[in-house]
Amino acid sequence: MGPSRTFSSDPELANFVVSSGVLNQSLATVQDLHGEIINQNEHPVRHKVSQQPNCTIIAFSTLPACGKDYIQERGDLVSSSTLKKSFPYFNFLSTKTNPDFSINNAALELFASISDRLPTLKSQFHIYIYIYVVCDKVQDLHGEIINQNEHPVRHKVSQQPNCTIIAFSTLPACGKDYIQERGDLVSSSTLKKSFPYFNFLSTKTNPDFSINNAALELFASISDRLPTLKSQIDNSKVLIITGKSLGGSVATLFTLWLLETIDFSITKRPLCITFGSPLIGDNGLQNAILEYPTWNSCFLHVVSDQDPVPRVLISPHNPPATESASQTNVYKPFGTFLLYSEFGCGCFKDSQTILELLMATYSEGPGNQNSNQVLELYKKIVEFLNRKVICGDTTGLLQWTTPPLRAGIIIQLVAIGLMRPQSLQPQGQNNGLDNLITKIEKQEMELVMSKGLGFNPSKTLNEIKINMAFFEWYKKCFKEKGIGYYDSFKNGSSQTDIEVVKFKTILAHYWEGEVNEAEKKPQKEGAPFRTGWLGAGTNFRRMIEPLDIAEYYKKGLKDYINQGRPKHYKQLEQWLKVTEKTASNPSQLKKQNVASSLTEDSCFWAHVEEALISCKLLSSRESSTGEKELSKHNLIEFENYVLSLMKNYAVSPEIFLPQSSFMLWWKEYEEIIRKGIMGASYYSPLTDLMKNRSYQNYATGDLEIP
């Protein structure tokens, strides 16, 4: 859970592996895997994931037939050019300096045969340590003595060395009956007026949603605590939010609230882990969250086959495991569900599959109604996960010819107790599960297809670049006239402005759509956009946003950055900050090319317009003392801002054109300084630079600012 360890030498690595016990633990896991009974038709590759106190071990084993002779027979190499088309998993190894490589055919075939397991391996094993720590905190909270008049929702914030855990718990009275009594849904139209905390979930494409009344009432009861809870988040640590039953529902709503309110450029995205939590919303809420896969991935719901609470809001609306179950149920799930039985566990993401399985896997028993016993059950689940391993197929139900997707579903259903291993299943007994497997298989295929259909920004990007070429011409044309394209468009002094509006609208429409798609369907974790696409988006933002700023201030408006800036500009800028490495000093090449560059901060002209407004306020006799003092402060801030841009050669020299708004600002500001309004003998590095006209050396890259 901490940062990955690196080693300065091979002996250091070897010493760590031996002294920490990792070498011994690895061998023991491999021996366990090799010692298992092998079925005749078993898959040639088996795996085991073992959670140790100090590490996670993933062991792979092949059948005895895959020995020396097998390796020699398949000793040929498969080139990277062949792999690029047929199996692109290792394309990232090709670089400009080393474009070609080859991999052994035998190893590649075996690895390719387990490609369907890779998402499961990646998604499951790392989370179990978090679940173990989190369950402890939930149990601690439930174990505290409860006063008679205590608030129905309690919380505890626990600062761990590598994570912050916020746990929620509700009173014992808030159990199954309480949930059923308050099982009605509160619509977004009602919430908009009475409790606007979730208004952000309403969008043009999905305006309506509903949230469970019981969960909403409990969350609303702690609304006064939200600022305090938010202040205790440590930006440097993983944030885990958790709770059991309705405490899990409160944790879910708290996480949703956080997803909208915290800045993820400086804060890690939270992980919400619930234990036996009921469903909390309808199809509208599900769709609102599914619009953003990064949000959906923040939720993990652990559910036992013996816990009735996660199923309590499903059963009134549909019978279990019927064709119409997922279609007619009012409540809909989101996030990942980890379903557990005495045979193991399985993870599921498809919402329709989850609804089917929640009902089909319920195992009613006498202890199910006792909340303390159910909590103990979850403790046992976590202990099982902590000491147990995730194994490949040992069911005896699969044949080598079983399609990989169907095989994976069967293994999952055995793990959650819906199917029995062949050795335990009565002869000929299937309970109609073939239909359910086929249905889940179809749903999973649809899910995979929907992910594959997503974001392909390069498709029309070349067409959009043609429109950008018009603005390059427009910019060059007015630079030669000594005014700059920003001020020309602002003043409306050219017949070409009609064409400008036309092309600007086309570009804005394209990039608004692409940014929305990139947010909904990121290409891979940590990279929701391609480098080339982001570069084109950055050029668009730096070239076109100044024109939007000109239109904004031409209407007499103020504070564009906070009040008028469109979302797609903000998002493109944020993505660039995530990927861009800031240099401490401008390179010689950057200085040489500054004459043809765009201003890096696309909001530069908004700062200029605000500085002009400050000058007017400072010069006006009608301005109050407070307004004048604030204007002075803002102008000094603007000076520092401009100087820092010039120092890093991050602003276009076009700002110094005689008729530019920046030079108009300087003319007004110089007069303010001359009159002593900024103070007697006022001096600053920027005003000195402007007065002695050394800024004229900027366009050639010869201006040095200490």
Side-chain angles (χ1 to χ4, degrees):
M1 288 168 59
S4 301
R5 182 167 177 178
T6 56
F7 303 93
S8 59
S9 64
D10 292 340
E12 184 183 348
L13 171 60
N15 180 61
F16 168 77
V17 169
V18 174
S19 62
S20 65
V22 169
L23 187 64
N24 183 54
Q25 291 164 346
S26 299
L27 181 59
T29 307
V30 171
Q31 283 179 318
D32 288 346
L33 191 53
H34 276 269
E36 292 176 354
I37 298 171
I38 300 170
N39 298 317
Q40 188 176 359
N41 297 315
E42 189 163 357
H43 193 286
V45 181
R46 294 174 299 148
H47 72 268
K48 179 174 282 190
V49 181
S50 177
Q51 295 290 352
Q52 303 295 320
N54 54 350
C55 65
T56 299
I57 297 173
I58 307 178
F60 292 93
S61 172
T62 57
L63 296 179
C66 302
K68 179 183 174 184
D69 294 339
Y70 179 92
I71 297 168
Q72 285 180 322
E73 288 169 7
R74 292 165 174 79
D76 52 315
L77 290 163
V78 182
S79 68
S80 52
S81 57
T82 302
L83 287 172
K84 192 173 185 179
K85 301 173 183 176
S86 60
F87 194 69
Y89 281 58
F90 300 105
N91 287 357
F92 67 92
L93 293 172
S94 288
T95 63
K96 289 182 180 179
T97 55
N98 186 60
D100 302 316
F101 64 88
S102 299
I103 298 176
N104 170 253
N105 188 22
L108 200 62
E109 282 183 0
L110 292 168
F111 179 74
S113 74
I114 64 162
S115 58
D116 60 300
R117 302 184 210 169
L118 299 182
T120 303
L121 278 170
K122 183 180 177 183
S123 67
Q124 290 184 2
F125 73 86
H126 70 286
I127 202 69
Y128 291 154
I129 296 174
Y130 286 129
I131 297 175
Y132 186 75
V133 176
V134 162
C135 191
D136 265 350
K137 300 306 167 190
V138 172
Q139 193 173 42
D140 288 348
L141 191 54
H142 276 267
E144 291 178 354
I145 298 172
I146 300 169
N147 298 320
Q148 189 175 358
N149 298 316
E150 191 163 354
H151 193 283
V153 181
R154 293 174 298 149
H155 75 268
K156 177 176 280 189
V157 180
S158 175
Q159 296 291 349
Q160 303 293 312
N162 41 21
C163 66
T164 300
I165 299 173
I166 302 178
F168 292 96
S169 172
T170 56
L171 296 180
C174 302
K176 180 183 173 184
D177 294 340
Y178 181 92
I179 298 167
Q180 285 180 318
E181 290 168 5
R182 292 166 175 78
D184 53 313
L185 288 157
V186 182
S187 69
S188 51
S189 57
T190 302
L191 287 172
K192 192 173 184 179
K193 301 172 184 176
S194 61
F195 195 70
Y197 282 59
F198 300 106
N199 287 356
F200 65 91
L201 292 171
S202 288
T203 63
K204 289 181 180 179
T205 55
N206 186 64
D208 302 316
F209 64 89
S210 298
I211 298 175
N212 170 252
N213 188 21
L216 200 62
E217 282 182 358
L218 292 169
F219 180 74
S221 73
I222 62 161
S223 57
D224 58 313
R225 304 183 212 170
L226 298 182
T228 304
L229 283 169
K230 185 178 174 183
S231 69
Q232 296 182 62
I233 296 172
D234 186 336
N235 293 339
S236 65
K237 295 180 180 179
V238 174
L239 172 62
I240 302 175
I241 302 151
T242 187
K244 176 191 164 289
S245 189
L246 272 176
S249 300
V250 174
T252 299
L253 292 176
F254 178 68
T255 304
L256 277 176
W257 175 75
L258 275 183
L259 286 170
E260 171 64 12
T261 58
I262 61 179
D263 182 358
F264 291 110
S265 64
I266 58 172
T267 306
K268 295 180 184 294
R269 200 173 295 277
L271 172 62
C272 178
I273 302 175
T274 70
F275 298 91
S277 175
L279 305 183
I280 67 161
D282 67 351
N283 188 62
L285 181 65
Q286 179 194 65
N287 288 336
I289 295 164
L290 289 176
E291 278 191 8
Y292 302 93
T294 50
W295 285 16
N296 193 48
S297 64
C298 292
F299 298 92
L300 175 68
H301 307 287
V302 184
V303 176
S304 165
D305 62 343
Q306 297 179 48
D307 188 354
V309 171
R311 302 160 171 91
V312 72
L313 294 176
I314 303 175
S315 52
H317 303 286
N318 59 274
T322 66
E323 188 64 29
S324 61
S326 59
Q327 304 299 326
T328 61
N329 188 58
V330 174
Y331 282 88
K332 301 288 183 180
F334 56 84
T336 300
F337 276 68
L338 192 154
L339 306 182
Y340 172 85
S341 79
E342 60 178 314
F343 297 102
C345 61
C347 278
F348 300 88
K349 283 191 175 181
D350 179 70
S351 59
Q352 295 182 15
T353 300
I354 291 164
L355 274 178
E356 296 283 351
L357 295 178
L358 280 174
M359 295 310 300
T361 57
Y362 181 46
S363 176
E364 193 167 0
N368 294 24
Q369 310 304 320
N370 188 313
S371 61
N372 290 329
Q373 288 185 12
V374 173
L375 182 57
E376 284 298 321
L377 177 64
Y378 282 105
K379 182 67 175 176
K380 288 178 181 177
I381 291 173
V382 172
E383 288 172 351
F384 167 85
L385 291 173
N386 195 48
R387 67 173 184 270
K388 204 65 172 161
V389 295
I390 310 164
C391 300
D393 174 49
T394 57
T395 66
L397 293 171
L398 305 182
Q399 303 296 318
W400 172 236
T401 54
T402 305
L405 177 58
R406 192 175 185 86
I409 292 167
I410 291 171
I411 293 171
Q412 294 272 61
L413 295 185
V414 170
I416 64 174
L418 198 56
M419 295 182 72
R420 296 293 182 95
Q422 193 175 53
S423 59
L424 299 177
Q425 185 161 301
Q427 187 71 26
Q429 185 175 326
N430 183 270
N431 294 328
L433 289 171
D434 282 342
N435 290 335
L436 180 59
I437 294 169
T438 301
K439 185 175 181 182
I440 294 173
E441 193 173 9
K442 180 183 176 183
Q443 290 164 353
E444 290 295 327
M445 285 298 294
E446 289 173 354
L447 184 65
V448 170
M449 289 297 292
S450 69
K451 289 181 178 178
L453 289 174
F455 183 48
N456 183 16
S458 61
K459 189 174 181 181
T460 56
L461 187 55
N462 290 331
E463 300 169 20
I464 291 301
K465 286 179 179 177
I466 295 172
N467 293 325
M468 282 293 291
F470 168 81
F471 288 97
E472 293 290 349
W473 167 84
Y474 182 72
K475 178 174 178 286
K476 181 180 179 183
C477 177
F478 286 97
K479 178 182 177 182
E480 292 170 354
K481 294 180 181 180
I483 185 171
Y485 80 107
Y486 169 80
D487 285 287
S488 171
F489 184 72
K490 178 185 171 185
N491 298 336
S493 58
S494 169
Q495 293 295 320
T496 318
D497 290 347
I498 298 172
E499 290 295 300
V500 170
V501 172
K502 173 184 147 185
F503 283 112
K504 184 169 78 71
T505 303
I506 292 170
L507 288 167
H509 180 73
Y510 171 80
W511 283 106
E512 283 175 18
E514 292 305 301
V515 167
N516 284 335
E517 285 302 308
E519 283 185 313
K520 292 177 186 177
K521 295 187 177 181
Q523 295 165 30
K524 60 171 68 175
E525 188 176 349
F529 40 79
R530 297 187 182 107
T531 304
W533 179 80
L534 179 58
T538 300
N539 286 336
F540 156 76
R541 176 173 59 82
R542 290 173 176 172
M543 177 72 82
I544 306 303
E545 188 169 14
L547 302 180
D548 284 343
I549 292 169
E551 284 185 322
Y552 184 85
Y553 283 96
K554 194 157 63 169
K555 295 174 184 176
L557 302 172
K558 298 179 182 179
D559 196 12
Y560 167 85
I561 294 173
N562 295 311
Q563 302 295 329
R565 194 180 190 199
K567 173 189 170 183
H568 60 282
Y569 289 134
K570 295 178 185 177
Q571 194 61 71
L572 284 168
E573 183 177 29
Q574 181 56 45
W575 284 338
L576 183 67
K577 287 178 180 178
V578 170
T579 59
E580 193 176 48
K581 294 180 180 178
T582 305
S584 56
N585 294 301
S587 66
Q588 194 59 39
L589 183 63
K590 188 176 183 180
K591 292 180 179 180
Q592 291 171 1
N593 294 331
V594 70
S596 59
S597 67
L598 291 166
T599 299
E600 291 180 9
D601 182 2
S602 55
C603 287
F604 172 80
W605 292 106
H607 289 286
V608 173
E609 296 292 349
E610 292 298 324
L612 283 165
I613 292 170
S614 293
C615 284
K616 287 182 173 61
L617 286 170
L618 201 55
S619 302
S620 174
R621 293 179 180 178
E622 296 177 1
S623 299
S624 66
T625 303
E627 286 176 323
K628 290 188 175 184
E629 287 302 314
L630 181 60
S631 296
K632 284 183 184 180
H633 171 79
N634 290 341
L635 286 165
I636 293 170
E637 287 290 311
F638 177 67
E639 281 191 59
N640 294 333
Y641 163 74
V642 173
L643 193 68
S644 68
L645 291 178
M646 291 177 65
K647 188 175 182 179
N648 288 295
Y649 279 80
V651 66
S652 169
E654 289 183 21
I655 70 169
F656 302 116
L657 291 172
Q659 300 176 61
S660 79
S661 291
F662 178 78
M663 293 306 287
L664 174 63
W665 165 80
W666 168 242
K667 184 178 178 181
E668 292 185 14
Y669 192 47
E670 188 177 26
E671 181 65 15
I672 286 171
I673 293 170
R674 188 188 67 77
K675 291 179 178 178
I677 297 174
M678 292 298 291
S681 304
Y682 179 79
Y683 168 86
S684 72
L686 181 67
T687 55
D688 182 56
L689 181 152
M690 295 299 294
K691 283 177 181 178
N692 63 33
R693 297 180 179 272
S694 57
Y695 64 82
Q696 294 175 343
N697 296 322
Y698 181 81
T700 58
D702 296 324
L703 178 64
E704 295 294 335
I705 301 174

